[in-house]
Amino acid sequence: MRAPAAGGGVRVVGLGESTHGTAEFFRLKQRLVEYLVTAHGFRTFAMEASASAAPAVDAYVRGRGTAADGAAALTGLGFWTWRTREVLDLLDWLRAYNRGRAAADQVGFAGIDAQRCAASVAYFDPDGTDGKGGTGGSADGLAVLAEAHPGQYPGRRDELTALVRALVPADAEGERHARILARAADVVTCASPAEVGRVRDGHMTDAVGELLTADPDARIALWAHNGHIAVRGASLGARLRERYGSAYYALGLFFGEGAFRARRMWPGPWGPRTRRPSPVAVNRVGPPPPGSLEARLGAAGRGPYVHDLRASAESWPHEILASRSYGAYVARGVYHWNSMPTTPATEYDGLAYVPLSTPSTPL
């Protein structure tokens, strides 16, 4: 396995994934995080996860609490995708690495997503009255931001923005929570899936930027989906490349065939407001079609392996290839044929490949 070129001034390594439910991706990313920490001095591990709930995970990896608190902290992040044995194993490795080290030498945890901000709501609304005399579980007032999905309330932007602007932070922690709530209000009131993607990735970019600004020596291992990591359109990766140039390294993770976990939805025009809760299912796909990115990666080596495009860009011409991309949801019955156009030489600095995907292990 060739490791990504994390030296040479790289400050952020984006660790992608083409599914949110592949155990091999998670294990490979643990090995990469271990490498970045031990060989290149990375001291921040950030995830596409709740910024509001992240301090509980940070406390766990820094050695506070018990083993049971690790699973509880993962649950608090609010994403079923991360409540897995594999992610907890990574947190336990960070906890073991931090043991006995000075605070400045420890690896911290950060969430960069404004979703699932119940802790921030509770900071300003500890008694659950949501600032308007209602209950914390009502759809009125600040409480609606705690569990709202992106794009769920497109007609309430003025109302929710005004509520957040009326908050009066008393200290730096309050300012952090107010900033998270402002971003959450922005995301949940988007009017279309395209706007959700643009706004959400913009706020995640700002969250990464704040980590880099707070510590001029910060180096971040950043875990998110390929769709966010890739240097494409208005993605998180494209914005990080625009801001930081070659100091951002985008590593895409792909698989040959197998199974992964995701919720299923009926095909059709769907967006944030049409999603309905559904069980997390094991979804299976066969070998990649000829000419696809996955077929090209499979032909290049048995894997698993990491290919550094910065060191050998000439071997990957600037051509558009079909590649798989699955998020937390898949379209029932037709997901096997799901693909998106990808230009590897311009969207990624490195490509990782695992020949077989097996489902992540839920806690």
Side-chain angles (χ1 to χ4, degrees):
M1 179 179 75
R2 173 184 281 174
V10 171
R11 298 190 67 194
V12 181
V13 173
L15 303 173
E17 57 196 28
S18 57
T19 90
H20 278 322
T22 292
E24 286 73 17
F25 286 164
F26 295 0
R27 295 192 191 108
L28 178 55
K29 285 205 263 193
Q30 176 174 340
R31 292 178 63 190
L32 290 168
V33 169
E34 291 177 12
Y35 165 74
L36 293 171
V37 168
T38 57
H40 291 284
F42 279 57
R43 291 295 178 265
T44 301
F45 172 55
M47 287 188 79
E48 175 195 346
S50 169
S52 181
V57 180
D58 184 64
Y60 177 74
V61 300
R62 292 184 186 275
R64 296 190 285 276
T66 66
D69 294 320
L74 276 182
T75 300
L77 288 178
F79 290 69
W80 66 262
T81 50
W82 312 143
R83 293 197 301 271
T84 71
R85 180 71 256 171
E86 295 82 10
V87 176
L88 185 56
D89 285 346
L90 172 52
L91 297 187
D92 286 340
W93 182 88
L94 293 172
R95 182 178 170 95
Y97 177 86
N98 286 337
R99 189 175 298 121
R101 297 179 185 271
D105 294 328
Q106 293 182 346
V107 182
F109 178 90
I112 63 167
D113 202 337
Q115 293 186 74
R116 301 296 189 267
C117 54
S120 296
V121 171
Y123 179 88
F124 290 103
D125 185 28
D127 59 357
T129 60
D130 69 43
K132 295 181 66 175
T135 65
S138 74
D140 296 322
L142 205 60
V144 74
L145 296 176
E147 301 296 335
H149 296 290
Q152 188 171 353
Y153 298 107
R156 301 181 63 177
R157 173 158 293 177
D158 290 345
E159 169 202 348
L160 294 174
T161 299
L163 278 173
V164 173
R165 287 178 177 171
L167 299 174
V168 182
D171 52 22
E173 181 67 3
E175 291 174 359
R176 186 183 78 86
H177 285 298
R179 188 163 56 246
I180 291 169
L181 291 173
R183 289 170 179 167
D186 209 14
V187 171
V188 306
T189 56
C190 289
S192 68
E195 185 183 6
V196 166
R198 185 173 63 253
V199 170
R200 184 174 169 229
D201 277 46
H203 287 316
M204 289 197 292
T205 305
D206 290 339
V208 174
E210 288 160 5
L211 294 171
L212 294 173
T213 300
D215 179 2
D217 297 322
R219 308 186 84 185
I220 302 170
L222 175 60
W223 177 318
H225 193 274
N226 281 349
H228 298 299
I229 292 300
V231 180
R232 176 194 305 135
S235 70
L236 165 64
R239 294 167 195 248
L240 290 174
R241 176 59 50 78
E242 182 179 0
R243 289 191 189 185
Y244 305 108
S246 61
Y248 172 64
Y249 187 103
L251 179 67
L253 272 66
F254 302 89
F255 73 99
E257 60 183 303
F260 62 93
R261 296 170 67 231
R263 296 187 188 276
R264 293 178 183 173
M265 296 181 58
W266 290 109
W270 25 286
R273 283 171 288 165
T274 63
R275 293 178 179 173
R276 296 290 183 272
S278 60
V280 179
V282 172
N283 308 279
R284 305 179 188 280
V285 293
S292 65
L293 173 58
E294 289 84 1
R296 182 80 63 87
L297 290 169
R302 292 188 175 183
Y305 65 89
V306 175
H307 183 70
D308 181 16
L309 291 176
R310 287 191 180 181
S312 55
E314 70 282 352
S315 65
W316 283 84
H318 291 247
E319 59 182 310
I320 300 174
L321 301 172
S323 67
R324 294 174 175 140
S325 181
Y326 301 110
Y329 294 83
V330 297
R332 187 187 302 270
V334 298
Y335 67 86
H336 309 78
W337 299 280
N338 183 72
S339 67
M340 65 181 301
T342 302
T343 309
T346 59
E347 295 180 16
Y348 297 103
D349 300 294
L351 303 171
Y353 174 76
V354 297
L356 180 66
S357 169
T358 60
S360 57
T361 309
L363 291 176

